[in-house]
Amino acid sequence: MKSCGSMLELPGLRLPPAGFLLLLPFLLLLLPATPAPHRASYKPVIVVHGLFDSSYSFRHLLEYINETHPGTVVTVLDLFDGRESLRPLWEQVQGFREAVAPIMAKAPQGVHLICYSQGGLVCRALLSVMDEHNVDSFISLSSPQMGQYGDTDYLKWLFPTSMRSNLYRICYSPWGQEFSICNYWHDPHHDDLYLNASSFLALINGERDHPNATAWRKNFLRVGRLVLIGGPDDGVITPWQSSFFGFYDANETVLEMEEQLVYLRDSFGLKTLLARGAIVRCPMAGISHTAWHSNRTLYETCIEPWLS
């Protein structure tokens, strides 16, 4: 008979001593733990709504992001909802700035902005006035970036006795500029009035001289990527190419972004962004204005790829 400390033997098999078997569970505790599977960490997403909207409108978008990028912190800002969205845009910019600044401060790796319709102009102004913003992707979702010139239900409700041909009489007055819609009303037949009276769009476009123009341009160029989304069946943004910085000339012929003076002069940084490959254009047909943030195909094609 062999001693207790020797290996136990069975036909064709050698076993360790019984004492070692007793210690085995404790020895296993000393081994380094198997690392947990790596889980991607996504940048926080901030969503800014449009005219007459609220955070509830983005429930589908929130669902899509949570499904494809689990763990993403998504903040749909609940400011200037409903009729409050008619407040002057500079007032809204200040309110949204106070809301996004703490979110950015807690995200040193950067954030993504998804900004819908009128909200896209609010966000572009935010990128201009915030010296230390850390926006990676600015996703402009069917936003009238070069302005609006069309008879829509919104305008008919707000100004029932006016048509687009004479709305400039209201919008290019001090009283009219108290309404957000008038802040980006862009009448191609009254360009001089637009340049002189516009208290918002002409400024963020760099179309009118102001002391902050150089600083705003520098701030805007901090953005990592500009994603432009829109389409011919929108039904509200007029012309729909405004979502891509195209707009009418005096004959109502649409000139694309590269033909616009703001691009040719690089007045706020568009030409520079395009040169460094930081502008993505994602046109999509068959989507009406109120469906951009709930269309799953649009999300997967034009939004999800940029939410790193």
Side-chain angles (χ1 to χ4, degrees):
M1 183 173 179
K2 299 195 181 210
S3 66
C4 306
S6 62
M7 297 290 289
L8 301 177
E9 295 188 20
L10 292 173
L13 181 65
R14 290 171 60 83
L15 297 176
F20 178 81
L21 292 175
L22 291 173
L23 292 172
L24 184 59
F26 302 99
L27 293 173
L28 290 174
L29 293 175
L30 300 177
L31 295 175
T34 303
H38 176 71
R39 183 173 181 176
S41 178
Y42 299 108
K43 295 180 177 69
V45 175
I46 303 170
V47 181
V48 176
H49 67 72
L51 189 66
F52 298 127
D53 267 334
S54 69
S55 59
Y56 180 74
S57 304
F58 296 87
R59 61 196 183 280
H60 298 295
L61 179 63
L62 185 61
E63 174 188 326
Y64 301 154
I65 296 173
N66 288 333
E67 187 178 320
T68 61
H69 289 63
T72 301
V73 177
V74 183
T75 305
V76 184
L77 295 174
D78 218 357
L79 296 171
F80 299 99
D81 294 354
R83 294 189 182 188
E84 286 298 300
S85 63
L86 289 169
R87 301 293 301 165
L89 285 185
W90 283 123
E91 180 181 327
Q92 296 192 43
V93 169
Q94 182 57 33
F96 281 108
R97 180 178 186 172
E98 293 171 2
V100 305
I103 300 173
M104 292 179 179
K106 294 177 183 177
Q109 77 277 28
V111 302
H112 300 304
L113 283 182
I114 302 177
C115 309
Y116 168 63
S117 194
Q118 177 177 280
L121 290 166
V122 171
C123 288
R124 182 149 70 90
L126 284 173
L127 296 183
S128 299
V129 302
M130 295 186 74
D131 296 337
E132 300 298 327
H133 78 76
N134 58 354
V135 175
D136 185 6
S137 294
F138 166 30
I139 300 173
S140 172
L141 186 57
S142 187
S143 175
Q145 292 292 350
M146 276 298 287
Q148 171 77 4
Y149 185 64
D151 290 320
T152 65
D153 290 339
Y154 299 133
L155 287 177
K156 291 172 184 175
W157 175 81
L158 189 59
F159 305 115
T161 61
S162 298
M163 298 185 300
R164 71 173 190 170
S165 60
N166 59 19
L167 191 58
Y168 74 93
R169 299 179 188 276
I170 295 175
C171 278
Y172 296 157
S173 69
W175 174 78
Q177 288 293 300
E178 293 298 310
F179 292 92
S180 63
I181 294 176
C182 287
N183 291 159
Y184 51 94
W185 185 253
H186 191 174
D187 189 329
H189 305 292
H190 298 90
D191 206 49
D192 289 343
L193 288 176
Y194 158 74
L195 291 174
N196 289 324
S198 175
S199 62
F200 183 83
L201 185 61
L203 295 182
I204 66 170
N205 276 356
E207 294 173 287
R208 192 166 84 227
D209 290 336
H210 61 93
N212 297 315
T214 300
W216 287 7
R217 183 180 183 279
K218 180 181 178 182
N219 293 341
F220 182 72
L221 287 172
R222 290 175 60 89
V223 72
R225 182 183 300 106
L226 172 60
V227 182
L228 302 173
I229 302 170
D233 302 306
D234 181 271
V236 171
I237 306 302
T238 311
W240 67 269
Q241 293 92 337
S242 181
S243 295
F244 300 92
F245 288 98
F247 205 72
Y248 293 130
D249 66 8
N251 298 314
E252 294 192 30
T253 299
V254 173
L255 302 180
E256 301 299 336
M257 179 181 77
E258 288 86 347
E259 301 173 279
Q260 297 292 329
L261 281 178
V262 296
Y263 174 86
L264 296 170
R265 295 173 178 170
D266 207 16
S267 58
F268 66 94
L270 270 185
K271 192 173 184 179
T272 298
L273 279 184
L274 188 65
R276 75 180 192 210
I279 294 182
V280 176
R281 285 176 271 204
C282 194
M284 188 168 287
I287 301 178
S288 64
H289 190 67
T290 56
W292 289 104
H293 41 64
S294 60
N295 186 288
R296 181 63 184 252
T297 301
L298 182 279
Y299 169 76
E300 293 175 347
T301 305
C302 300
I303 298 177
E304 192 272 335
W306 312 112
L307 301 182
S308 57

